[in-house]
Amino acid sequence: MRTTALNHVSIPAVDLQESRRFFTDVFDMETLPTPNFGMNVIWLRIGDRQIHLFESEKPTGGYHHFGFEVDDFEEAYRKLKANGHFGGDEAYFSKMYVMPDGGVQMYFRDPSENLLEIDLPNVDDLDRELFG
């Protein structure tokens, strides 16, 4: 037996509705019907996978994260920057890194302080003037 796919990722949300708005407004994710688990949960579609937001009293912070791709990396950057999602721990996130294979990774925090990463497969597709 081997693993064949990732189905979903669950992340905490201090304010479920604020986190839902963040993911639906910035990344155009679709809110999905959610079963009754006896706790507050919101499911979102991310491509053919899902993100499950579950209510939590405190943010996790730290460096645990997941990465995803978007159809417009530069527009994601503009929206994240306009909404103040870069900053904080300057040693790790709110930066972009070019990978040895020519890909780019961009790190940011969501409203519940979860660390997230957006990947761009080819640095040559990037308007470097936008990012300085």
Side-chain angles (χ1 to χ4, degrees):
M1 189 237 6
R2 67 182 180 92
T3 303
T4 60
L6 179 67
N7 179 275
H8 71 275
V9 174
S10 291
I11 60 173
V14 175
D15 181 325
L16 274 176
Q17 294 307 318
E18 179 185 28
S19 291
R20 181 196 58 76
R21 279 190 299 277
F22 170 75
F23 285 107
T24 58
D25 291 353
V26 175
F27 298 107
D28 200 27
M29 292 183 190
E30 174 189 359
T31 304
L32 299 171
T34 306
N36 182 351
F37 290 109
M39 60 186 281
N40 293 324
V41 180
I42 294 175
W43 288 4
L44 302 169
R45 181 180 315 284
I46 179 171
D48 60 352
R49 305 291 184 246
Q50 297 176 12
I51 294 176
H52 296 179
L53 304 174
F54 63 92
E55 196 165 51
S56 175
E57 291 182 14
K58 61 181 184 173
T60 59
Y63 299 121
H64 302 285
H65 69 280
F66 65 94
F68 57 98
E69 294 181 14
V70 296
D71 62 357
D72 191 334
F73 189 88
E74 293 172 6
E75 181 63 16
Y77 172 80
R78 285 184 197 95
K79 286 182 176 181
L80 290 166
K81 186 174 182 180
N83 289 300
H85 291 284
F86 296 112
D89 182 354
E90 293 300 324
Y92 190 72
F93 71 94
S94 77
K95 295 183 180 182
M96 286 186 216
Y97 299 90
V98 177
M99 302 291 102
D101 67 359
V104 179
Q105 296 176 335
M106 172 172 54
Y107 293 90
F108 61 96
R109 298 276 180 181
D110 76 1
S112 293
E113 297 182 27
N114 294 299
L115 181 63
L116 302 171
E117 168 189 327
I118 298 176
D119 300 307
L120 178 70
N122 187 349
V123 69
D124 295 334
D125 295 336
L126 195 62
D127 176 1
R128 291 180 184 243
E129 289 185 23
L130 177 64
F131 302 101

